[in-house]
Amino acid sequence: MPRIKISKRTVDGIIPPPAGANDKATQEFYRDTELTGFGLKVTNKGTKTYIVEARVQGKAKRITLGKHGPLTPEQARKQAQITLGQIATGNDPVADKKDQQIKGVTLADAYRDYLLARHNLKPSTLGEYQRCIKGALSDWLNKPMTDITKDMIETRHRKLGETSVAGANGTMRVLRAIFNFAIEQYEDQKGQPIIQVNPTKRLSKTRSWYEVKPRQTLLTPTQLKPWFDATLKLNQETTRDYLHFLLFTGLRKSEASKMTWGNVNFNERSFLIPDTKNKDPHRLPMSDHLEALLKQRHFQSESPWVFPSPITDGPLKEPRTSIKRVIELSDIKFTLHDLRRTFATTAENLDIPHYALKRLLNHRAANDVTGGYIVPNAERLREPMQKITNYILGQIEGTDNDVSSK
């Protein structure tokens, strides 16, 4: 390796080496005559880079300082002296630099990496995460994760709670998940996590989480008839049928709205929801009322969607205008999820067996060994499904047909 006094004149005067066979990249190295370990790398492309060569903790290493041009020989020499001094005192500049980079990971960096790891998130979940991180915590995105303190979290949680206690809790739960991910994902050169404790634990330690009681609203038996009568006055038949379908199936709003005719099996009198909240495909039998509703829709349909949007080629979105209209006509406030609660409460009041109720609602039996041995069968749910339908129709028609199945 040639030895030269590294100066602007000598570096500028170095001619790049020729390319190798088949235009293969080549490079030459030059060592400084005054500072041992300081050198220059020159490629056949004409790139000239200042380097330091030394044994770091017993291993020969070549450390890049920077390119000639943006970095002058004098600046590179001073930087080389600092680097060699660090090595002489037992430090590893490369590892130290990586430590500094890893400790500088921002909330935006961690959030991006978290989403890459959780690549199967549903669009609705992703949308909620975006509202929390890029909405409620947008001013923290460029902060290093190590700079987000317990006090900051406690203060922000309290501030968010002034607007929405549920939103405040939701934001901090998402942040807690990202911190848990960061603790496992980002380590220093010694293999230690750069974040030792999840700072959102402060909220648990101080019992600062807001108490958010689940909604208990639903359609009572006496409200079923006026609500149903109000839906019949809607101009949009698709929206009317969609509301009825939710009431008589207990499905979540997106599960029903995204159904296609390919999911409906009239021969077996059943329908399938392939994409559910818990990712378990959900097959349900048709009661006689649902069968009639679906057959009528299928006869009139010109769309692959069971409940198509009247505006786009896609499925029906949440019909807020129609919901508002039904509320005005019936004087009964409700949400689409209230219809699911109505279905579930009706099933429970009719003493539908525990496992059948869980299957109807597509709830997993957590920590239930017995439930794990039961293979779901839509046909076993036909009688409970019909029983619930009969009761709801009985309340609507005033026949109190609450226990028999047709």
Side-chain angles (χ1 to χ4, degrees):
M1 184 180 294
R3 300 181 67 87
I4 62 171
K5 179 181 178 181
I6 295 178
S7 65
K8 186 177 187 309
R9 184 178 63 82
T10 56
V11 173
D12 286 342
I14 293 175
I15 299 174
N22 299 320
D23 202 31
K24 186 176 180 180
T26 58
Q27 55 189 16
E28 287 184 350
F29 293 89
Y30 297 84
R31 287 177 176 154
D32 186 54
T33 56
E34 295 186 353
L35 179 61
T36 302
F38 180 39
L40 180 75
K41 180 178 71 174
V42 181
T43 71
N44 64 293
K45 299 293 186 181
T47 302
K48 300 173 182 180
T49 306
Y50 298 106
I51 60 171
V52 163
E53 295 177 313
R55 298 193 71 83
V56 181
Q57 298 177 358
K59 295 182 180 180
K61 288 191 176 182
R62 182 175 291 144
I63 303 168
T64 298
L65 300 177
K67 292 182 180 180
H68 176 62
L71 196 65
T72 68
E74 293 75 19
Q75 291 170 332
R77 186 181 298 277
K78 290 179 181 179
Q79 193 170 325
Q81 290 172 332
I82 294 172
T83 301
L84 290 166
Q86 292 172 335
I87 295 172
T89 55
N91 295 320
D92 184 342
V94 175
D96 290 344
K97 184 177 180 180
K98 289 181 179 179
D99 275 359
Q100 290 301 316
Q101 290 175 339
I102 204 72
K103 289 176 181 178
V105 168
T106 64
L107 175 59
D109 296 330
Y111 179 53
R112 179 200 62 225
D113 292 345
Y114 176 78
L115 293 183
L116 288 173
R118 298 286 305 279
H119 53 82
N120 59 344
L121 288 175
K122 288 182 172 292
S124 58
T125 303
L126 181 59
E128 180 62 27
Y129 283 9
Q130 296 280 55
R131 284 190 290 274
C132 293
I133 301 302
K134 294 192 174 181
L137 301 178
S138 60
D139 56 324
W140 288 5
L141 285 172
N142 293 325
K143 287 185 179 295
M145 293 288 285
T146 52
D147 287 354
I148 300 175
T149 67
K150 297 176 183 179
D151 287 342
M152 289 170 59
I153 286 170
E154 188 173 33
T155 301
R156 180 58 58 91
H157 180 248
R158 189 183 306 115
K159 181 68 175 177
L160 293 173
E162 295 174 1
T163 303
S164 169
V165 295
N169 281 357
T171 295
M172 291 306 158
R173 288 194 184 99
V174 176
L175 185 61
R176 177 176 63 189
I178 295 173
F179 264 106
N180 284 336
F181 170 81
I183 289 172
E184 296 297 327
Q185 182 73 13
Y186 307 119
E187 299 177 345
D188 62 20
Q189 57 182 304
K190 296 179 181 179
Q192 296 299 313
I194 63 168
I195 301 168
Q196 298 294 325
V197 178
N198 190 325
T200 62
K201 285 187 175 181
R202 164 73 67 84
L203 300 178
S204 298
K205 295 290 185 180
T206 59
R207 298 185 179 182
S208 297
W209 292 102
Y210 292 107
E211 182 180 0
V212 181
K213 295 182 179 180
R215 288 176 60 95
Q216 298 295 325
T217 52
L218 74 165
L219 300 181
T220 65
T222 58
Q223 290 177 327
L224 285 168
K225 179 175 174 52
W227 178 88
F228 192 86
D229 289 345
T231 64
L232 296 178
K233 297 177 182 178
L234 294 174
N235 294 326
Q236 285 284 346
E237 290 186 6
T238 297
T239 303
R240 177 202 65 196
D241 290 347
Y242 173 67
L243 294 176
H244 293 179
F245 194 76
L246 290 177
L247 176 63
F248 284 94
T249 62
L251 290 175
R252 296 178 177 87
K253 58 185 180 182
S254 63
E255 294 173 344
S257 67
K258 293 179 180 178
M259 273 184 58
T260 66
W261 289 116
N263 302 139
V264 179
N265 190 325
F266 286 113
N267 292 328
E268 294 184 2
R269 298 176 65 228
S270 68
F271 53 90
L272 174 70
I273 310 299
D275 186 18
T276 64
K277 183 177 181 179
N278 63 13
K279 298 183 175 60
D280 291 339
H282 186 32
R283 184 176 292 280
L284 285 173
M286 302 176 192
S287 64
D288 53 4
H289 181 74
L290 289 171
E291 183 179 16
L293 184 152
L294 290 172
K295 282 187 174 180
Q296 179 65 23
R297 289 206 58 77
H298 189 250
F299 177 76
Q300 299 174 339
S301 178
E302 297 180 354
S303 168
W305 304 100
V306 176
F307 302 103
S309 167
I311 301 172
T312 71
D313 293 332
L316 183 71
K317 301 295 183 182
E318 184 169 352
R320 299 181 188 275
T321 302
S322 295
I323 293 172
K324 183 179 179 181
R325 179 61 176 158
V326 173
I327 292 173
E328 291 172 350
L329 290 170
S330 65
D331 199 28
I332 298 171
K333 292 184 178 180
F334 76 99
T335 67
L336 294 182
H337 205 72
D338 288 345
L339 304 181
R340 178 173 169 82
R341 274 189 286 269
T342 301
F343 177 90
T345 302
T346 299
E348 199 278 331
N349 289 340
L350 293 174
D351 295 324
I352 300 298
H354 173 73
Y355 284 119
L357 178 55
K358 279 189 170 294
R359 284 297 306 137
L360 286 168
L361 297 173
N362 200 29
H363 284 168
R364 287 178 177 170
N367 301 320
D368 187 339
V369 177
T370 303
Y373 283 93
I374 297 177
V375 179
N377 187 329
E379 198 59 36
R380 293 287 298 273
L381 300 177
R382 191 171 301 282
E383 183 178 346
M385 192 72 153
Q386 188 64 54
K387 195 173 184 180
I388 295 167
T389 293
N390 291 346
Y391 175 84
I392 294 174
L393 288 176
Q395 298 303 313
I396 292 170
E397 298 167 356
T399 59
D400 282 335
N401 186 16
D402 61 342
V403 292
S404 63
S405 60
K406 297 180 183 178

